[in-house]
Amino acid sequence: MKPEEKSKRNPAWSRDEIILALDLYRQLQGGWPKKNDQKVSELSQTLNQFWQVQGYAGDTLRNTNGVKMKLMNLRTHDPKYEKGAGLKAGNKLEAEVWTDFWARPDYLIETATAIRASIASLGRESSLETITPQIDDIDEVEAAEGRLLTLIHRRRERSSTIAKNKKDKTLAKNGRLICEACGFDFVERYGEHGAGFIECHHIKPLAELSGETKTRLSDLVLLCANCHRMIHAKRPWLTVDELRQILR
Ligand SMILES: [Zn+2]
Ligand SMILES: [Zn+2]
């Protein structure tokens, strides 16, 4: 889709955006922002950048009124307020984000910080055409931490150079490549055709990802395609240990 076409639609608030709004809600401690509140305009700008990074043209998708409205919506999920104190517009995604993050303020802060950092770093990339297709192409369930951090995770583990290094090093050490969760061996099963085939999964929590940090070989584990799929099949994504537990 071309950026011009995208700008015509008014996209629904995404998980990433709601996480950022919830982080502002947390900072306001349930209070109402003052007129011309700096934090509200900053969030409005950040959200507009979020859409620009994804190829949406224009800079007025999320104005300060829209941001304030979202803060009001979030209040409907806050048990601190009597039922009915906020607007009755709370949607399912808001409820999910509230459940995932509100009781864990450190996780919320860390995730929101990583999202803001990735918006900034993706925005610095030379060409939007290199980012947008990758975002559109995400076929796995978006992580609890949202779409941009999902994209960064995915890019990290599919980087061919680092994956090759990981495989070369493991082959040199163990003489074969097997799934670190279930032990599947592609050569054993598929013969020569399966030689060198295995997937890499990046194990760093998404809240710790930003556009800038480098992948280390120790951040990657080798998984068969099934196990890798299972990890990303539902929110929250499984850890490799949790997957091993299931397989036991
Ligand atoms: Zn496996
Ligand atoms: Zn993965």
Side-chain angles (χ1 to χ4, degrees):
M1 210 188 300
K2 292 219 170 69
E4 308 86 82
E5 292 171 62
K6 279 189 170 187
S7 68
K8 285 180 192 140
R9 294 182 298 130
N10 192 14
W13 280 64
S14 66
R15 179 173 273 270
D16 306 58
E17 293 179 285
I18 297 172
I19 293 169
L20 295 180
L22 188 63
D23 188 48
L24 175 55
Y25 183 85
R26 177 194 60 79
Q27 292 173 53
L28 294 166
Q29 301 183 302
W32 192 241
K34 296 188 190 69
K35 198 166 184 272
N36 302 325
D37 192 307
Q38 184 69 25
K39 288 196 174 76
V40 172
S41 1
E42 276 167 17
L43 179 54
S44 156
Q45 278 167 25
T46 304
L47 298 182
N48 287 324
Q49 279 166 16
F50 168 79
W51 288 108
Q52 279 164 19
V53 161
Q54 296 178 76
Y56 282 73
D59 55 2
T60 51
L61 272 174
R62 303 285 183 239
N63 58 26
T64 51
N65 281 335
V67 169
K68 285 182 183 168
M69 184 70 85
K70 188 51 73 175
L71 293 171
M72 198 49 144
N73 292 347
L74 287 171
R75 188 179 275 190
T76 60
H77 305 280
D78 195 337
K80 222 171 77 186
Y81 291 86
E82 285 291 310
K83 238 177 128 195
L87 296 179
K88 276 283 151 218
N91 66 21
K92 193 171 157 253
L93 193 51
E94 283 165 15
E96 271 180 42
V97 171
W98 183 278
T99 310
D100 288 348
F101 289 93
W102 188 249
R104 302 162 67 193
D106 290 345
Y107 173 49
L108 171 61
I109 293 166
E110 200 179 17
T111 304
T113 306
I115 293 173
R116 282 190 293 265
S118 57
I119 293 172
S121 73
L122 292 172
R124 281 193 292 276
E125 287 189 21
S126 51
S127 161
L128 278 181
E129 284 82 67
T130 63
I131 303 164
T132 322
Q134 294 178 41
I135 291 179
D136 289 341
D137 200 36
I138 293 176
D139 54 0
E140 58 201 26
V141 69
E142 184 183 296
E145 293 83 357
R147 201 155 177 77
L148 289 191
L149 298 181
T150 300
L151 166 72
I152 291 174
H153 167 94
R154 193 169 165 279
R155 264 192 184 181
R156 292 280 163 87
E157 55 186 28
R158 293 190 192 181
S159 145
S160 48
T161 332
I162 186 101
K164 188 175 181 304
N165 287 346
K166 176 77 183 179
K167 289 199 257 184
D168 287 350
K169 204 177 156 218
T170 310
L171 261 180
K173 193 170 157 230
N174 303 336
R176 59 188 201 148
L177 300 172
I178 60 163
C179 174
E180 292 182 45
C182 75
F184 188 88
D185 183 331
F186 282 90
V187 172
E188 214 173 273
R189 190 76 184 86
Y190 297 107
E192 234 351 81
H193 191 72
F197 186 87
I198 198 139
E199 298 189 0
C200 285
H201 171 64
H202 193 289
I203 55 169
K204 256 204 172 155
L206 266 69
E208 288 173 27
L209 291 181
S210 81
E212 310 288 321
T213 40
K214 280 221 163 118
T215 306
R216 292 171 307 177
L217 288 188
S218 56
D219 294 334
L220 296 174
V221 298
L222 299 175
L223 294 178
C224 74
N226 276 354
C227 286
H228 197 189
R229 271 289 162 121
M230 282 297 108
I231 281 183
H232 294 298
K234 281 184 185 151
R235 262 192 306 273
W237 289 353
L238 296 174
T239 64
V240 176
D241 271 338
E242 285 166 338
L243 182 67
R244 287 191 191 116
Q245 289 289 340
I246 293 175
L247 290 169
R248 217 165 267 158

